[in-house]
Amino acid sequence: MRPRPITRCQRLFRSSSTTSSSALRTPPIGSDVEALNAGVNALTSVSSERSTGGYGQLHGLSIAIKDNICTSSLPTTCSSAILQQYQSPFDATVVRLLRDAGAHIVGKTNCDEFGMGSLNLNSVHGPVINPFQTAPNVPAAQMEHRSAGGSSGGSAASVAAGICDAALGTDTGGSVRLPASYCGVVGLKPSYGIISRWGVISFADSLDCVGILGKSVGIVKRVFDTVATYDPRDPTAATPDLRERACQFNSPFLSVTTSTHQPRSLEGLRIGVPIEYFPSELDPSIVDVLRTVLRRLGEAGAALTSVTVPATQYTLSAYYVIASAEASSNLARFDSVRYGLRTAPPPGANTSKSSDVFAHSRCAGLGKEVQKRILLGTYALTADAFDNYFLQAQRIRGHVRRDFDRVFRHPCALLERPFPPEDGVDVLLHPSAIRTAPPLDRRAQESHSGGKAALGLSEYLQDIMTVPASLAGLPALSIPAGTGADRWPVGVSVVGQWGCDNLVMHVGKAIEELC
């Protein structure tokens, strides 16, 4: 299928100027969007639509959409050269629901190519620059360039820069929560299957979730209430019966967090702190922020206890095997024949096999990080490696799920006969990231030039705090909770049992008010 011509949008290019304020501003319209985006590179395209004309529950709210979620009026490139001119003939379910509710779509956001990355460096549009600054009105020449996180860095940066009220991202192993922590905004990864993935270009089907980033927990919940509906076109969607079962299981626990008394009382709420979430790589100043949050929650009446999730130490290895294996399968469809970039084979090349013809276009259109993960995943699925890698990773995934079930006192609606512990906790609380936003300049230069930073392990370690909830399909919310020793944002994550999305957001709201 030939790509449709780009209409009703304007392509944006990187600029050397940067936004000079860390404060969130009233969402702009028109050319103001381009001015705010110029130095952040958060958007890949801007909508020329003034209004959707709807007057639903999101009327007046401006929302940006990650570039791997299909939109009929704007290009969907996945920040990849292979789809640089592709425009979807339809809207993803989440986009349609937002439009029907009256939200204004401001544009598409930059991301790591096909969602593969933790620092938003792997993009054909260039890296996203974190709009946060430690002091207001910093001259452009003195701006500190740091990563916005990935893969949904453009979505987080667009909210932090005041371009929009909220943004949709996708979260496979932390791609919403990590950017939210780095940029100082709220980021929600919902329970797996709660928000439709129909119209989302897949990275790893068993892990991908459409997530929401916003200025506050209240805004995130408004968007969540709109898009968290059953979609029969999504084969991974949680059925209405399953949603109702989860609601019945967890409704008795919501009354604790919905109290309107001032000061807020959290009597009866049990919060667990997993001891495995304090690796040696964790910045000590982030631990100080977490302790402050825990102290204030305790003063409000919450019961605090340490818990253990033993399989956590194996999750990062299992995640990269599973995610890469599923990516190698999903990305096989990008053969440059039906759509996408087409590169002619060089003179004298062997064209007798279709795979040889595809290879030239895929090598030119897919970035180094994507190629690396495809190769890793393809190997994991081979006959020789399948048992030792892929199946072993799935076994670890099962252990992770059971570990969480033994921690929460909420029954898991996914189990036919759940037996939660009476002394379990309502939610878990832990740091969202091992450090504040890392410097961008050196990493970006080396990544695009194929240097050591592009091949090192430090980028993969960024996901160490977020991957466990993704493997188990649990809801997790990152909330800004303070700043580190370098005065850059620090986020803490609230994790709940499957289907406890509202409980997680209510606890997040309490943290937002208390801290």
Side-chain angles (χ1 to χ4, degrees), residues 203-275:
F203 166 13
D205 288 335
S206 71
L207 296 163
D208 289 347
C209 295
V210 174
I212 305 165
L213 298 107
K215 295 180 177 180
S216 66
V217 176
I219 290 178
V220 169
K221 191 174 189 312
R222 283 180 62 190
V223 177
F224 174 82
D225 290 342
T226 299
V227 299
T229 60
Y230 173 67
D231 180 10
R233 291 176 292 186
D234 178 8
T236 65
T239 62
D241 290 343
L242 195 57
R243 294 166 190 258
E244 179 61 27
R245 189 170 188 238
C247 183
Q248 292 175 355
F249 280 168
N250 301 310
S251 57
F253 302 98
L254 279 174
S255 59
V256 174
T257 58
T258 54
S259 170
T260 57
H261 294 92
Q262 295 298 331
R264 177 185 288 272
S265 174
L266 297 178
E267 292 289 342
L269 182 69
R270 299 180 187 174
I271 298 176
V273 182
I275 60 177

Side-chain angles (χ1 to χ4, degrees), residues 123 155 190 213 244 261 408 419:
S123 170
S155 296
L213 298 107
E244 179 61 27
H261 294 92
F408 292 117
F419 295 100

Side-chain angles (χ1 to χ4, degrees), residues 6-21:
I6 299 175
T7 58
R8 302 166 67 186
C9 71
Q10 181 175 358
R11 303 297 294 168
L12 298 175
F13 299 91
R14 288 187 62 202
S15 169
S16 59
S17 61
T18 51
T19 184
S20 60
S21 175

Side-chain angles (χ1 to χ4, degrees), residues 284-308:
S285 65
I286 291 180
V287 178
D288 294 338
V289 172
L290 180 65
R291 284 174 176 160
T292 299
V293 173
L294 291 171
R295 184 179 69 253
R296 292 178 180 174
L297 291 172
E299 291 170 351
L304 308 176
T305 183
S306 62
V307 298
T308 180

Side-chain angles (χ1 to χ4, degrees), residues 72-159:
S72 59
S73 60
L74 295 166
T76 303
T77 73
C78 291
S79 292
S80 176
I82 206 166
L83 288 178
Q84 200 160 8
Q85 298 300 321
Y86 176 70
Q87 188 156 344
S88 170
F90 59 86
D91 283 334
T93 295
V94 286
V95 175
R96 176 181 57 81
L97 291 171
L98 292 175
R99 292 187 189 276
D100 291 346
H104 171 52
I105 307 300
V106 299
K108 302 297 285 289
T109 65
N110 200 351
C111 60
D112 280 302
E113 185 178 9
F114 287 102
M116 300 184 192
S118 300
L119 298 175
N120 222 140
L121 301 179
N122 310 312
S123 170
V124 72
H125 306 292
V128 176
I129 299 172
N130 194 323
F132 185 91
Q133 292 296 307
T134 56
N137 303 319
V138 178
Q142 300 178 17
M143 287 275 297
E144 187 175 3
H145 287 192
R146 294 203 182 193
S147 169
S151 65
S152 304
S155 296
S158 63
V159 174

